[in-house]
Amino acid sequence: MRGSVVSPVGQLALVVVGGLLLGSIAGCGTALSESPEPVSSYALPPAPAPVPAPSESGEPAPAGQLQWAEIETQTFKPRRHLAQATVPAGGPPPPTSREKLIVSGQVSLSTDDVAGTAAAVHAQALALGGEIAGESFNGDPAKATATLQLRLPPEQVSAFIDWLAQHATLEARNLSTQDVSRQVFDQALAIHNLEITMTRLQELAQKPGASLKDVLDVEREMTRVRGDLERLRAVQRGLEDKIARATLAVNIYMRRGVHVEPEVKFELVPQLVLWHFVDGGARAQGRVGFGLSTMFSRWFSLDFELLPQRQGDARSYLLTAAVQTYSDFLGGGRRRYGNPYLGLRLGGGSINGYGAFAYGGDVGVEIVHLRQFLVQLEGRAVGLRYDHSFDPHGDIALEGLLGVGVPF
């Protein structure tokens, strides 16, 4: 109002009020500028004092008796935003700057040697500290394939794929990452809160003077909370395992257009056989015949020899099994030309119409030994034991054989 005069007392009141307002504003600014101590994002308010609930008759319950209402009042209330909060000591760790990633993927390779590449991948994964979660192999020479399920340290995945590209043709590569940092932290926080709830439930269950009904209710709630804890802990362990180990599927295929050599099952060796009886007697001392050897390897073969009828000598045949070995001092059978070998044989047959048991030794040399062609020259000394009615002393025959092998 124009012309109004403020008394000295009013002026003094205005000065005091203004000073108080300025002090409050300054105090707020100072509080905002200071860095407050971190406060838990999820803190529990003090549990209120138990309030006796009325009984069925309307009378208050005796003081100190446990009531289920106590549990319902103990809830969790956030004090601050989660991003500004820290967790109390003993609780789950706060979120860090390091992301929690789950790495997975698959690669496809083509190669000339599927089995050899699969073995090299297996060895390299173990050398990097990884694990072989699964492995399958198809050895079909025309369509050989292999699949390996690997679990590797995540930081080694890129280097491992680069190593694969150096040892085979990298046909396809697919890697993906999933950030589960928020999920890991939320689950750790949920586990911490459930542990606090479990502790309080245990304290309530041990409170003296509790009725049987209240104790049973607390035990039922503890069972539920315990089940939730175990479930969350299992999920958390699974996440931690996936974070610690990347999953990589490696598919290996035969490169297109590669000629695959057929696998040799056995080798058929037709032979020209020359027999010479050391003691000819009344029979022909020299005989010429034919033979056929089924050689599964140099270690084992089945041999059939046939001597046609000659003059008064009947047709003769002999079936024997032989084991032979190369000389390690003379190439060990790895040379294409001139591989010597020794062997033993055992069998039987019919010689000049008489049954005979045969045994003997071999010495020979592979003149030419290629994958699809074999020429060998062999000499044998064979002892023959006849039926007692014919010759109890037996016979000795020397053989010379020239054979040409054909793979089958």
Side-chain angles (χ1 to χ4, degrees), residues 55-110:
S55 61
E56 296 179 358
S57 62
E59 295 295 330
Q65 182 173 350
L66 175 66
Q67 298 297 328
W68 184 250
E70 296 180 49
I71 302 174
E72 298 177 353
T73 61
Q74 303 180 31
T75 56
F76 305 101
K77 296 181 179 179
R79 290 186 179 178
R80 307 177 72 189
H81 192 273
L82 184 61
Q84 302 175 352
T86 58
V87 180
T96 61
S97 59
R98 182 180 178 183
E99 295 179 331
K100 305 293 185 180
L101 302 178
I102 295 178
V103 181
S104 61
Q106 63 178 357
V107 294
S108 297
L109 309 172
S110 61

Side-chain angles (χ1 to χ4, degrees), residues 7-230:
S7 64
V9 176
Q11 294 178 0
L12 180 60
L14 289 175
V15 170
V16 172
V17 172
L20 291 174
L21 289 175
L22 290 175
S24 300
I25 294 173
C28 293
T30 303
L32 291 174
S33 62
E34 294 177 355
S35 298
E37 291 297 326
V39 183
S40 172
S41 60
Y42 287 82
L44 293 172
V51 179
S55 61
E56 296 179 358
S57 62
E59 295 295 330
Q65 182 173 350
L66 175 66
Q67 298 297 328
W68 184 250
E70 296 180 49
I71 302 174
E72 298 177 353
T73 61
Q74 303 180 31
T75 56
F76 305 101
K77 296 181 179 179
R79 290 186 179 178
R80 307 177 72 189
H81 192 273
L82 184 61
Q84 302 175 352
T86 58
V87 180
T96 61
S97 59
R98 182 180 178 183
E99 295 179 331
K100 305 293 185 180
L101 302 178
I102 295 178
V103 181
S104 61
Q106 63 178 357
V107 294
S108 297
L109 309 172
S110 61
T111 178
D112 297 342
D113 183 8
V114 172
T117 302
V121 171
H122 187 286
Q124 182 67 12
L126 296 180
L128 293 176
E131 301 173 354
I132 310 299
E135 188 174 6
S136 63
F137 176 72
N138 176 18
D140 185 353
K143 299 179 181 179
T145 59
T147 300
L148 293 92
Q149 298 290 338
L150 308 179
R151 303 196 67 212
L152 303 170
E155 64 276 8
Q156 298 286 352
V157 173
S158 296
F160 181 75
I161 294 178
D162 293 339
W163 180 87
L164 292 176
Q166 296 174 2
H167 291 77
T169 302
L170 188 61
E171 300 289 350
R173 168 178 177 166
N174 182 16
L175 285 178
S176 63
T177 58
Q178 179 185 0
D179 188 356
V180 293
S181 304
R182 182 76 268 172
Q183 186 178 354
V184 171
F185 180 76
D186 289 345
Q187 292 212 354
L189 197 58
I191 290 173
H192 179 61
N193 289 338
L194 285 175
E195 288 173 344
I196 294 176
T197 302
M198 177 62 72
T199 301
R200 290 188 172 178
L201 287 170
Q202 291 172 346
E203 293 174 354
L204 290 173
Q206 297 173 359
K207 192 169 184 179
S211 66
L212 178 59
K213 177 179 180 302
D214 290 337
V215 172
L216 292 177
D217 289 340
V218 172
E219 291 290 344
R220 188 180 304 109
E221 186 67 10
M222 288 175 62
T223 301
R224 182 190 66 80
V225 173
R226 189 179 295 109
D228 291 344
L229 265 175
E230 294 302 323

